[in-house]
Amino acid sequence: MQNKNKKFLPFLYLLPTAILLIVFLIVPILYTFYLSFFDWNLIAPTKEFVGMRNYLEVFTDPVNQKVILNTLIYIVFLVVLNFLFPYFISLIVKFFISKMQGAYKVLFFIPSLFSLVVGAMVFTWILNPVSGPLAYVLKNVGISMPNWSNSGILAITVICFITNWKVFGYNFILLLTGLGSIPKNIIDAAKVDGIPKWRLIWNVILPMNQGIAIYVLILTIVQGLQYVFTPINVITTGGPYYGSSNMIYQTYLNAFVLYKTGTSSALAIVTFVIFLILLFIEIRFVERKAKNYA
Amino acid sequence: MLKKKLNLWHVLLIIIILGAIFPILFMVSNSFKTLRDSYGTMLNLIPLHPTFENYSLLNKQVNLLGLTWNTFLMATMVTVGKLLTGLLTAYAFRSYQFKGKMLIYLIFVSTIFVPFTIVMIPNYLVISKLNLLNNIIGVALPQLCDATGIMIFLKTMEKIPNSLIDAAKIDNIPNRKIFFNIVVPILKPSIVSVGAIFFINSWNEYVWPTLILKDKSSFTLPLALQNYISSEGGTNFPLAMALSTIMVVLPLIIYLIFQKYILNSISNSGLK
């Protein structure tokens, strides 16, 4: 009796989480997979089976092709702004200055506290090409501000900057923590040997910090593509002509604006597959802990 | 020789801080200017004629108290749910050996890699079937558990010495009591910081609420703010800044109080 009870107990503790995960995560993923083979509009009583047509549409429809290309542009911008930039700064703070590290951490993090809707709103004004303060300052030095919301690539740039405003501090702290966990004697030894700092960083520090760096890099892509949803929806609603939409936003548009549930589901599945590839990389390089439970 | 060379890197870092903080100062200061004043003296961070005009106008246009209450209630539900499920799950992992442990752990890790778009349609349909559209319970229900919380709690719990738990077990203290009277008090700092992070994130949440809350009386603050932007260009920015300012007060206060804990938790979440 005692023994049986013990076997049962851990599952009792896991039960609430398990129910929530099954009902709101696992079953929905399977259902979306099912929907991706049907033509449906979210309301009609019947769904029409169309085989692989929705997937074909994801890759052949010109709008979707544009959106996939945009997604790649977003990934490049997000990696540069939200990964490489904070990584560079965390190296500076760790190795090139000796004071105020704590203060920088506290201050850099402040924008992470605020809603992206607030960020989108404030930056829409600051960057407004007619009445914004930046346009005003630029006009005084004789430069006219481009109407960025009319250009897909400029809109993408602005949207990525807004997410950078929010995530920079967060990623900075993660990367700085990683650098902090490198044994100090390795760094001291290099100092004694008189190895230049940048060579030390390139040859020793970056390889040693690889785990957390890959973790932040992957998180930057996976969460970044979802974070940009908010400024896209608030500022451009994907325009001009899908120029600032990405796969995540297009999935939403198809589901709740165009009522094309099938295309939406196929897009969601394709996105998920891409994220799963990133997950395997993450588990391979980062999740050493999982082995403890093997 | 008298003074150490000024470290130029500090200049770069201070520019970054200004870039991060300026939008907030700009927002707060313009929320206290009239529409006309703000266009004339937009960049004056200290308003020449400070006024509460925008706030009182805002209060006439939307139900500020109702919006704040909705947002607070939703964020509280989500936070409490995530903390409870997170603590229970982490405790199961800390204290028991069972089959499928690694598989379950990997499923938790994977949940971070699930794009919300893949659960969006089915969850919308479930919430709609449950008649919870336009209800903050419908917003909270699908997000009562969170992998990040589980990971952080697990890391902290693994630091609790086995001897402590074993001693309690030898004394025949029931598991439920070990959990609530020993584990939970030790984890207090983590619970506070993770709870603060959950609360702030949920307070700011936008995507899922826009799908569920269509009726203005059920709106949370971010949804109400979004209504103030107009794609045709006629946005009353000072008014929008007033609502934005109201939105950032609570997260800022929470950060001021728990800053140290919050930053520690975030650092920990990255250490694998």
Side-chain angles (χ1 to χ4, degrees):
Chain A
M1 186 62 210
Q2 179 81 16
N3 212 359
K4 214 176 178 183
N5 205 6
K6 255 192 183 146
K7 259 192 176 156
F8 177 66
L9 251 173
F11 293 105
L12 198 65
Y13 283 102
L14 289 171
L15 197 64
T17 303
I19 291 174
L20 286 165
L21 281 184
I22 291 168
V23 174
F24 291 110
L25 194 82
I26 295 170
V27 172
I29 291 174
L30 298 174
Y31 190 63
T32 299
F33 186 62
Y34 166 84
L35 283 179
S36 72
F37 298 104
F38 289 85
D39 219 359
W40 193 40
N41 66 1
L42 215 58
I43 300 148
T46 54
K47 309 176 181 71
E48 188 197 339
F49 181 77
V50 293
M52 294 297 286
R53 207 181 70 198
N54 290 325
Y55 287 94
L56 214 64
E57 203 189 314
V58 166
F59 294 106
T60 55
D61 179 71
V63 168
N64 287 332
Q65 285 176 341
K66 187 173 181 176
V67 166
I68 291 173
L69 182 69
N70 284 348
T71 307
L72 294 175
I73 298 172
Y74 268 111
I75 290 175
V76 173
F77 282 17
L78 288 170
V79 166
V80 172
L81 285 173
N82 294 357
F83 173 69
L84 292 180
F85 177 44
Y87 203 5
F88 176 75
I89 299 300
S90 69
L91 287 167
I92 300 291
V93 169
K94 177 76 196 165
F95 295 106
F96 289 85
I97 64 165
S98 49
K99 279 183 203 135
M100 295 191 11
Q101 291 178 343
Y104 286 130
K105 250 166 106 172
V106 172
L107 290 169
F108 283 165
F109 188 73
I110 289 176
S112 298
L113 300 165
F114 304 139
S115 165
L116 274 167
V117 184
V118 169
M121 195 55 113
V122 176
F123 279 98
T124 312
W125 191 12
I126 292 180
L127 303 173
N128 188 301
V130 183
S131 61
L134 188 67
Y136 174 79
V137 172
L138 288 177
K139 210 167 89 187
N140 281 341
V141 291
I143 304 168
S144 76
M145 178 116 169
N147 194 348
W148 49 267
S149 59
N150 284 344
S151 144
I153 190 89
L154 287 181
I156 290 176
T157 315
V158 167
I159 287 161
C160 288
F161 263 105
I162 295 171
T163 63
N164 174 256
W165 175 73
K166 183 174 166 84
V167 231
F168 174 86
Y170 186 88
N171 284 355
F172 166 81
I173 287 172
L174 285 180
L175 290 161
L176 190 66
T177 310
L179 295 174
S181 62
I182 293 172
K184 204 171 176 306
N185 55 356
I186 294 177
I187 299 162
D188 289 341
K191 272 186 194 156
V192 171
D193 292 344
I195 296 171
K197 264 185 196 168
W198 282 115
R199 275 230 350 248
L200 168 77
I201 288 171
W202 188 258
N203 293 336
V204 181
I205 304 296
L206 290 185
M208 285 192 77
N209 202 36
Q210 201 191 38
I212 199 160
I214 291 174
Y215 173 72
V216 177
L217 172 67
I218 289 173
L219 222 59
T220 298
I221 298 171
V222 168
Q223 292 188 337
L225 287 177
Q226 303 183 71
Y227 276 150
V228 294
F229 181 99
T230 301
I232 294 175
N233 199 39
V234 171
I235 302 172
T236 69
T237 58
Y241 195 69
Y242 304 105
S244 63
S245 185
N246 69 12
M247 287 169 75
I248 298 280
Y249 195 71
Q250 206 63 23
T251 310
Y252 158 80
L253 279 184
N254 272 296
F256 293 99
V257 179
L258 307 169
Y259 296 107
K260 289 164 70 179
T261 318
T263 318
S264 170
S265 302
L267 265 166
I269 296 290
V270 173
T271 314
F272 188 42
V273 170
I274 297 170
F275 285 8
L276 279 181
I277 295 169
L278 294 171
L279 168 69
F280 283 123
I281 299 173
E282 204 254 5
I283 289 178
R284 172 84 178 68
F285 285 99
V286 190
E287 290 297 336
R288 280 167 295 186
K289 195 182 199 111
K291 291 190 194 100
N292 298 349
Y293 302 125
Chain B
M1 280 313 277
L2 279 171
K3 226 175 142 192
K4 250 177 99 180
K5 195 181 71 171
L6 176 75
N7 196 334
L8 278 175
W9 288 118
H10 283 295
V11 179
L12 174 72
L13 297 172
I14 287 164
I15 291 172
I16 295 174
I17 289 177
L18 290 179
I21 306 297
F22 173 77
I24 315 283
L25 299 178
F26 177 80
M27 166 187 97
V28 175
S29 106
N30 278 289
S31 76
F32 291 107
K33 294 178 194 169
T34 60
L35 187 58
R36 180 180 303 177
D37 254 17
S38 86
Y39 283 111
T41 61
M42 214 180 310
L43 284 167
N44 276 16
L45 286 185
I46 296 163
L48 290 174
H49 317 286
T51 167
F52 281 99
E53 206 175 86
N54 296 313
Y55 291 89
S56 60
L57 184 59
L58 199 61
N59 201 25
K60 277 180 205 138
Q61 292 182 355
V62 293
N63 176 3
L64 274 182
L65 208 65
L67 283 171
T68 312
W69 175 243
N70 277 353
T71 319
F72 181 83
L73 210 61
M74 182 199 81
T76 306
M77 285 194 276
V78 170
T79 306
V80 171
K82 283 181 175 178
L83 287 177
L84 276 177
T85 54
L87 283 168
L88 289 172
T89 309
Y91 185 64
F93 265 79
R94 158 70 181 75
S95 310
Y96 300 97
Q97 286 308 323
F98 50 88
K99 255 194 183 151
K101 208 172 178 182
M102 183 167 94
L103 182 73
I104 297 175
Y105 182 82
L106 286 179
I107 290 176
F108 291 150
V109 175
S110 328
T111 57
I112 301 167
F113 288 79
V114 177
F116 72 81
T117 48
I118 205 172
V119 296
M120 170 178 77
I121 295 173
N123 283 353
Y124 173 85
L125 293 172
V126 168
I127 296 302
S128 147
K129 277 259 154 58
L130 292 173
N131 239 332
L132 288 173
L133 290 180
N134 291 318
N135 188 332
I136 48 170
I137 297 173
V139 179
L141 195 58
Q143 19 179 17
L144 295 178
C145 99
D146 184 286
T148 324
I150 297 174
M151 306 288 165
I152 296 177
F153 288 144
L154 188 53
K155 233 171 275 175
T156 328
M157 276 189 204
E158 280 174 346
K159 287 185 197 136
I160 301 175
N162 273 324
S163 53
L164 192 66
I165 307 252
D166 289 342
K169 275 185 182 159
I170 290 167
D171 288 346
N172 258 330
I173 297 174
N175 261 298
R176 180 169 39 86
K177 281 204 169 146
I178 297 180
F179 177 73
F180 282 110
N181 297 350
I182 299 176
V183 175
V184 170
I186 293 178
L187 255 72
K188 230 180 200 164
S190 302
I191 295 171
V192 168
S193 59
V194 173
I197 296 168
F198 283 158
F199 187 89
I200 291 171
N201 285 342
S202 183
W203 177 266
N204 291 333
E205 209 200 354
Y206 171 75
V207 182
W208 177 239
T210 49
L211 298 180
I212 299 302
L213 310 175
K214 295 289 180 197
D215 187 46
K216 278 192 180 169
S217 66
S218 66
F219 270 11
T220 54
L221 286 164
L223 303 191
L225 176 59
Q226 197 243 327
N227 260 10
Y228 273 92
I229 206 161
S230 126
S231 47
E232 285 82 40
T235 309
N236 182 337
F237 280 112
L239 201 60
M241 294 305 109
L243 189 50
S244 304
T245 305
I246 292 171
M247 264 185 74
V248 305
V249 172
L250 194 56
L252 256 184
I253 293 175
I254 294 174
Y255 186 57
L256 283 177
I257 301 174
F258 301 115
Q259 172 254 107
K260 220 173 163 179
Y261 293 110
I262 292 177
L263 294 184
N264 267 339
S265 257
I266 288 169
S267 299
N268 276 331
S269 73
L271 286 180
K272 296 285 167 176

